[in-house]
């Protein structure tokens, strides 16, 4: 399990029920740390639908419903005038958000998004995104 996984509580426990969380409820892990075998899970309030109930839940009491999306990490390996005019330059690291036939949408560390020619970047770390389904 990891941050941003969508999870379901698979047991009924008094300590969770006191906080308003019951077996079958679904929430999102919103902390990257697993502390003493627990994840901080936020659940939506049934009335406001805001993620207002946040409690630590033991990992063994959860199951993953939908894994967090991890995009491929990429690095720009070429420069050109168009990229530079948008403050995008060789060596920048970002994420591949949309894979195209000749150009792909990259999101960089400073949250700049830009379409880049496919031969101008390389994948440095694979994520779990299925670009065929997007």
């Amino acid at each position: 399990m990891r941050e941003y996984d969508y999870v379901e509580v698979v047991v009924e426990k008094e300590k969770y029920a006191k906080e308003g969380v019951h077996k079958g409820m679904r929430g999102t892990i919103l902390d990257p740390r697993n502390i003493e075998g627990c994840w901080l899970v936020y659940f939506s309030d049934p009335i406001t639908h805001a993620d207002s109930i946040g409690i630590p839940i033991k990992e063994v009491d959860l199951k993953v419903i939908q894994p967090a999306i991890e995009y491929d990490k990429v690095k720009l390996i070429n420069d050109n005038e168009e990229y530079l005019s948008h403050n995008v330059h060789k060596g920048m690291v970002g994420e591949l958000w949309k894979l195209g036939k000749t150009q792909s949408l990259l999101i960089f560390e400073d949250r700049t998004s830009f379409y880049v020619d496919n031969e101008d970047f390389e994948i440095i770390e694979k994520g779990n995104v299925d670009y065929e389904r997007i």
Side-chain angles (χ1 to χ4, degrees):
M1 289 184 190
R2 61 184 180 268
E3 186 175 27
Y4 304 122
D5 280 353
Y6 187 56
V7 295
E8 181 177 315
V9 179
V10 295
V11 298
E12 183 70 30
K13 287 191 173 177
E14 186 177 334
K15 66 181 176 180
Y16 303 152
K18 285 180 182 179
E19 301 293 330
V21 175
H22 301 278
K23 180 179 180 179
M25 288 182 69
R26 294 180 174 187
T28 304
I29 297 173
L30 292 179
D31 190 320
R33 301 167 297 163
N34 179 307
I35 300 171
E36 297 179 11
C38 294
W39 292 100
L40 184 58
V41 181
Y42 278 82
F43 299 89
S44 295
D45 181 284
I47 296 170
T48 66
H49 301 290
D51 286 338
S52 59
I53 304 170
I55 67 168
I57 305 278
K58 290 197 171 286
E59 184 168 328
V60 296
D61 296 341
L62 297 169
K63 73 176 179 180
V64 175
I65 301 300
Q66 182 177 345
I69 295 174
E70 291 183 357
Y71 294 96
D72 294 348
K73 294 219 183 298
V74 297
K75 181 176 175 181
L76 200 60
I77 57 173
N78 294 317
D79 276 332
N80 72 31
E81 286 183 32
E82 185 179 0
Y83 301 163
L84 293 172
S85 70
H86 289 90
N87 293 325
V88 174
H89 55 83
K90 182 178 178 179
M92 287 184 76
V93 173
E95 295 178 335
L96 173 58
W97 276 31
K98 183 176 181 185
L99 180 64
K101 291 184 183 194
T102 60
Q103 288 191 325
S104 296
L105 179 62
L106 306 184
I107 308 292
F108 294 98
E109 296 163 331
D110 64 358
R111 305 319 295 166
T112 300
S113 61
F114 197 72
Y115 278 94
V116 173
D117 293 336
N118 288 346
E119 64 270 3
D120 290 341
F121 68 88
E122 65 182 2
I123 295 173
I124 57 175
E125 185 179 319
K126 291 293 286 175
N128 65 358
V129 172
D130 181 359
Y131 293 103
E132 298 294 320
R133 295 184 61 202
I134 294 176

